[in-house]
Amino acid sequence: MTTSNQRPRARGIHHVTAIASDPRANFDFYSGLLGLRLVKRTVNFDDPGTYHLYYGDQEGRPGTILTFFPWPGARRGSRGTGQATVVSLSVPEGTLGSWRRRFAAHGVTSDDPVERFGEEVLPFADPDGLRLELVAHPGAAALDPWADGSVGEAEAVRGVHSVTLSVSRAEPSADLLTDDLGYRPAVEAGPRSRFRVGGEGAGAGAGAVIDLVEDPDTPQGRIAAGTVHHVAFRAIDDAEQAVWRERLREAGRQPTPVQDRRYFQSIYFREPGGVLYEIATDPPGFTRDESVAGLGAALRLPPWLEPHRERIEAVLPPLETSVGATGGEGEVAP
Ligand code: ZN
């Protein structure tokens, strides 16, 4: 019993984790402006005086999750190779004009939309300089949004579209995606290659795309505020994760032991271009400690931190949004 020659099915992105500075600005931007749902309000288990904020759809489904470690006063990182340099979110076709007006009304600058692989892309950045995009594509309409957020249902974000990885040499990173993670090459243009899992078009779920950009002249990025810390891929359960882990171990990728992240189980490894990858299980999910209706409403702590709740709550700033909670064009903050 040595080889696990059966490769588990690749299921796409589970979540993307980035570093932020001010948690209030982060919450205002992702919940207020982008209309994502705060699906878990907890702390950094290694630094419980700071938040770990999870945003997603109604139920916090894998493929819709962005997570942030906001460290007040954190220094800005730098974009470069060995990083996921852009996080792209899905929106329905025909909504980018309305999104641009919304950004302008809230003082957020966005670049002119560009076309990429037949999809319309609106680039912008979060308050820490993290590069984001809204990607308007036909498949988005088939995905459920969170309908009770600050953005109207017709325009609302439908989860993660893709991440763009920047590496100095594409081939080893591409080989890992295809040979070890089960992605297939979809299309390429210049230094950018697109990889996919699952069905095409309307059948494609959230988080199905990875773009790899070869950028030999750009130095390695520095991970700090405004940069992505890691990209997590889905495993359907612990057993599937164990098969992934064994395959990665055999491929010399040195995955970590399984770590309990409370809402999922995780292993981590570094891909050849330097980007930190994680494989996270779908269960138990964010309803482990609160109902769907109550997701994100209250601070949730793991049992070992409960005895310190009072002290932790005293140092965490309250989170509130200045963006109105109705329709697509909320009130402009003073
Ligand atoms: Zn993670």
Side-chain angles (χ1 to χ4, degrees), residues 250-294:
E250 285 167 4
R253 294 287 153 216
Q254 301 181 290
T256 64
V258 176
Q259 299 180 33
D260 181 4
R261 296 305 186 205
R262 188 140 178 85
Y263 306 106
F264 39 85
Q265 302 288 320
S266 299
I267 60 173
Y268 301 84
F269 63 102
R270 215 166 274 281
E271 63 86 50
V275 183
L276 185 61
Y277 280 176
E278 172 183 350
I279 293 181
T281 55
D282 285 2
F286 297 103
T287 50
R288 174 174 187 173
D289 56 4
E290 54 194 347
S291 67
V292 169

Side-chain angles (χ1 to χ4, degrees), residues 5-334:
N5 45 22
Q6 231 178 348
R7 183 169 65 197
R9 202 176 125 209
R11 300 173 194 278
I13 293 169
H14 183 286
H15 65 268
V16 181
T17 293
I19 299 174
S21 56
D22 181 4
R24 292 162 303 184
N26 182 266
F27 178 73
D28 199 22
F29 189 86
Y30 287 94
S31 168
L33 184 71
L34 292 186
L36 306 184
R37 185 176 194 190
L38 181 70
V39 294
K40 195 61 62 183
R41 184 190 301 246
T42 186
V43 294
N44 182 338
F45 296 163
D46 299 321
D47 183 9
T50 62
Y51 278 119
H52 189 183
L53 302 176
Y54 293 80
Y55 303 93
D57 72 355
Q58 172 85 24
E59 295 161 44
R61 278 176 292 206
T64 71
I65 304 296
L66 299 184
T67 104
F68 293 88
F69 291 114
W71 277 299
R75 280 177 22 173
R76 271 207 185 183
S78 62
R79 248 187 318 279
T81 46
Q83 284 180 345
T85 49
V86 183
V87 180
S88 306
L89 303 171
S90 286
V91 293
E93 288 183 297
T95 62
L96 294 189
S98 141
W99 275 105
R100 288 197 91 180
R101 288 191 294 281
R102 183 174 176 81
F103 289 161
H106 293 282
V108 172
T109 47
S110 53
D111 296 342
D112 288 331
V114 294
E115 202 201 289
R116 183 189 302 142
F117 301 137
E119 298 171 338
E120 218 190 339
V121 178
L122 179 63
F124 61 110
D126 87 354
D128 290 301
L130 177 66
R131 282 207 188 157
L132 301 164
E133 294 173 342
L134 294 178
V135 180
H137 64 106
L143 302 168
D144 292 329
W146 184 39
D148 301 326
S150 61
V151 175
E153 190 170 348
E155 288 92 21
V157 168
R158 264 68 172 175
V160 176
H161 171 275
S162 58
V163 291
T164 299
L165 310 178
S166 173
V167 293
S168 51
R169 238 162 49 79
E171 196 183 335
S173 296
D175 288 349
L176 177 96
L177 284 171
T178 54
D179 300 350
D180 297 321
L181 292 185
Y183 275 75
R184 60 175 194 279
V187 57
E188 56 181 271
R192 180 182 294 263
S193 314
R194 175 158 290 187
F195 298 83
R196 267 188 188 281
V197 291
E200 295 284 347
V209 174
I210 300 279
D211 276 5
L212 189 62
V213 173
E214 184 169 78
D215 199 357
D217 301 324
T218 298
Q220 222 179 328
R222 187 168 48 81
I223 309 276
T227 62
V228 171
H229 187 265
H230 63 265
V231 177
F233 298 92
R234 294 175 60 190
I236 204 85
D237 57 20
D238 292 351
E240 190 174 274
Q241 184 185 56
V243 179
W244 280 121
R245 185 169 185 280
E246 183 55 20
R247 283 183 56 90
L248 289 162
R249 204 188 56 74
E250 285 167 4
R253 294 287 153 216
Q254 301 181 290
T256 64
V258 176
Q259 299 180 33
D260 181 4
R261 296 305 186 205
R262 188 140 178 85
Y263 306 106
F264 39 85
Q265 302 288 320
S266 299
I267 60 173
Y268 301 84
F269 63 102
R270 215 166 274 281
E271 63 86 50
V275 183
L276 185 61
Y277 280 176
E278 172 183 350
I279 293 181
T281 55
D282 285 2
F286 297 103
T287 50
R288 174 174 187 173
D289 56 4
E290 54 194 347
S291 67
V292 169
L295 283 177
L299 181 71
R300 293 289 158 180
L301 297 174
W304 65 91
L305 290 175
E306 255 330 316
H308 311 293
R309 174 175 282 273
E310 209 172 315
R311 207 146 37 107
I312 290 170
E313 285 182 337
V315 298
L316 293 173
L319 299 177
E320 43 203 45
T321 165
S322 59
V323 179
T326 51
E329 305 288 335
E331 288 164 48
V332 181

